[in-house]
């Protein structure tokens, strides 16, 4: 019977059906989704920290309002994604516990520091640009609740990307030489970590094959990375910055840009907890959780009081 259920499931995947929360699904499919969606949720929440660092120091009221809205959007993305993961039978407490004890992964990119205001523009342009490239195909993910969450997230993400690029254009067109140098320096520091966001090369990606067969991932890590490089090089030219890769060159035969080797030892070090800001990020999240205990206690006490009143 298990075999028949599996075959029917695979058939639905092949037919391009969306799988919904109450549908039967193989254990491994469920586990893969909980892993990916919860990591994605954690990334959104941890991703609020590097930019939150600049809210009090944004150069104008307009930039401050934009940054506040963006960081708030990221909190919202985390909440949709935790909810999508909860439909698979995991609890938010379990997921947060995994994050706080260092068991759960989140995107490597958020373990790098934001040293200057230009970093905020570059995060919008490159980091959110990479995120969109990775996330647009997830709108067609075979698991319905995840796919639907991704549609709204991608719309907001595209606003984030454009505000970043626009803020860099302003600095590059109207800025002082020092401001232009600041943008170039930020690009130099964020370029390679942005390419690492797409994950290990396909040949070193243990989850890709099964996730692609199940329609969780629609494009492979390397395919998405290439699409990102191809889209970004012309944007860098318009901006007037140099991408820090001497091997970056158009390859007419492949119809793509070639690019230099990625430092995978740095990637695995950061994923393994030893990046420039891993400890700081995790302790900020744990502190926020502990400082919020009284709010959770009060909300629970209030809900209990109302339930008792309703029963009486
Ligand atoms: N940072 C941290 N860990 C990573 C990264 C990264 N950039 N890329 C891959 N990994 C981890 C994977 O989670 C996996 O570990 P696990 O098996 O313990 O979960 C391991 O490295 C091997 O990678 P893959 O086999 O390629 O893993 P997977 O098939 O899950 O692909 C990917 C990784 C592309 C990140 C995928 O999970 C995905 O598309 N996730 C949704 C998008 C997302 O999380 N974005 C977050 C950043 S964008 C933002 O928040 C603004």
């Amino acid at each position: 019977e298990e075999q028949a259920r599996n075959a029917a499931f695979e058939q639905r995947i092949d037919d391009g059906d969306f799988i919904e929360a109450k549908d039967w699904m193989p254990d491994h499919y469920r586990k893969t989704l909980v892993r990916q969606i919860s990591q994605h949720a954690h990334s959104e929440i941890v991703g609020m920290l590097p930019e939150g660092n600049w809210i009090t120091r944004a150069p104008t009221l307009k930039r401050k309002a934009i940054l506040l809205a963006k960081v708030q959007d990221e909190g919202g993305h985390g909440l949709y994604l935790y909810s999508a993961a909860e439909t698979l039978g995991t609890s938010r407490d379990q997921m947060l516990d995994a994050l706080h004890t260092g068991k759960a992964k989140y995107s490597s990119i958020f373990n790098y520091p934001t040293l200057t205001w230009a970093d905020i523009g570059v995060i919008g342009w490159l980091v959110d640009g990479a995120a969109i490239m990775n996330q647009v195909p997830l709108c067609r993910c075979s698991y319905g609740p995840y796919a639907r969450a991704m549609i709204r997230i991608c719309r907001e993400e595209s606003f984030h990307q454009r505000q970043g690029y626009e803020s860099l254009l302003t600095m590059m067109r109207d800025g002082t030489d020092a401001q232009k140098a600041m943008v170039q320096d930020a690009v130099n520091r964020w370029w390679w970590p942005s390419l690492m966001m797409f994950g290990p090369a396909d040949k070193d990606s243990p989850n890709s094959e099964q996730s692609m067969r199940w329609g969780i991932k629609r494009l492979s890590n390397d395919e998405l990375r290439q699409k990102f490089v191809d889209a970004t090089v012309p944007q860098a030219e318009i901006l007037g910055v140099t991408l820090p890769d001497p091997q970056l060159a158009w390859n007419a035969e492949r119809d793509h840009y070639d690019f230099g080797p990625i430092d995978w030892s740095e990637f695995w070090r950061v994923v393994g907890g030893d990046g420039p800001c891993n400890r700081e990020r995790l302790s900020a999240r744990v502190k926020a959780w502990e400082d919020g205990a009284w709010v959770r206690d009060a909300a629970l006490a209030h809900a209990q009081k109302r339930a008792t009143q309703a029963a009486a």
Side-chain angles (χ1 to χ4, degrees):
E1 198 200 338
E2 178 80 7
Q3 238 176 359
R5 278 200 298 197
N6 243 317
F9 177 84
E10 297 289 340
Q11 188 60 52
R12 291 189 63 191
I13 296 282
D14 292 345
D15 292 346
D17 271 9
F18 281 114
I19 308 300
E20 296 298 336
K22 290 185 176 158
D23 297 349
W24 184 87
M25 61 186 83
D27 245 13
H28 185 194
Y29 179 83
R30 186 184 299 275
K31 283 207 184 94
T32 299
L33 281 165
V34 168
R35 177 181 65 76
Q36 177 166 328
I37 301 172
S38 64
Q39 286 176 3
H40 193 168
H42 299 325
S43 304
E44 297 283 355
I45 299 295
V46 177
M48 298 169 78
L49 297 169
E51 290 174 288
N53 182 35
W54 279 90
I55 290 174
T56 55
R57 290 176 288 166
T60 65
L61 181 61
K62 176 180 134 185
R63 296 292 174 198
K64 186 180 180 122
I66 293 172
L67 186 58
L68 260 175
K70 176 180 193 291
V71 172
Q72 202 169 324
D73 284 352
E74 279 151 11
H77 297 176
L79 298 184
Y80 315 150
L81 289 165
Y82 283 127
S83 300
E86 280 176 314
T87 64
L88 291 155
T90 178
S91 75
R92 197 166 302 201
D93 280 346
Q94 278 172 312
M95 291 185 270
L96 289 175
D97 187 62
L99 175 67
H100 297 154
T101 54
K103 272 185 261 163
K105 291 192 172 76
Y106 58 85
S107 183
S108 51
I109 194 74
F110 301 118
N111 293 306
Y112 291 85
T114 41
L115 302 180
T116 71
W117 172 252
D119 289 38
I120 299 305
V122 170
I123 287 179
W125 174 38
L126 296 181
V127 174
D128 296 319
I132 297 173
M133 202 51 97
N134 161 275
Q135 292 174 10
V136 165
L138 294 175
C139 298
R140 292 182 290 119
C141 163
S142 60
Y143 187 57
Y146 190 28
R148 290 189 290 271
M150 289 319 300
I151 292 173
R152 175 153 172 189
I153 292 178
C154 283
R155 287 197 189 128
E156 293 178 350
E157 215 62 79
S158 122
F159 154 68
H160 296 174
Q161 198 269 352
R162 279 182 295 171
Q163 68 79 33
Y165 193 69
E166 194 267 341
S167 118
L168 296 178
L169 271 179
T170 305
M171 274 193 272
M172 292 304 287
R173 286 189 178 156
D174 309 329
T176 61
D177 286 347
Q179 285 168 327
K180 289 177 194 170
M182 205 186 267
V183 174
Q184 181 62 56
D185 173 65
V187 170
N188 293 348
R189 285 181 289 106
W190 288 92
W191 173 249
W192 290 105
S194 299
L195 294 189
M196 294 175 195
M197 285 175 69
F198 296 94
D202 293 350
K203 63 176 174 41
D204 300 316
S205 162
N207 301 302
S208 277
E209 197 189 326
Q210 183 58 263
S211 289
M212 291 192 58
R213 197 139 17 96
W214 275 331
I216 295 173
K217 287 166 84 163
R218 297 288 181 184
L219 294 168
S220 78
N221 298 1
D222 285 332
E223 283 170 329
L224 289 167
R225 189 166 14 245
Q226 181 71 61
K227 275 168 74 88
F228 175 71
V229 172
D230 292 347
T232 308
V233 172
Q235 295 168 358
E237 279 163 14
I238 293 169
L239 207 50
V241 295
T242 308
L243 297 172
D245 178 359
Q247 294 182 46
L248 197 60
W250 179 249
N251 182 329
E253 243 164 77
R254 290 203 309 125
D255 219 17
H256 287 296
Y257 282 94
D258 288 338
F259 53 96
I262 291 173
D263 181 354
W264 292 115
S265 65
E266 172 180 330
F267 171 76
W268 289 115
R269 201 166 57 243
V270 176
V271 172
D274 201 18
C277 301
N278 294 59
R279 286 165 196 83
E280 186 183 330
R281 299 290 182 246
L282 209 55
S283 66
R285 287 313 315 158
V286 170
K287 181 176 185 308
W289 176 253
E290 286 167 357
D291 289 352
W294 69 272
V295 180
R296 294 189 298 278
D297 289 345
L300 275 175
H302 182 66
Q304 264 159 11
K305 203 159 85 184
R306 296 194 70 163
T308 324
Q309 277 166 358

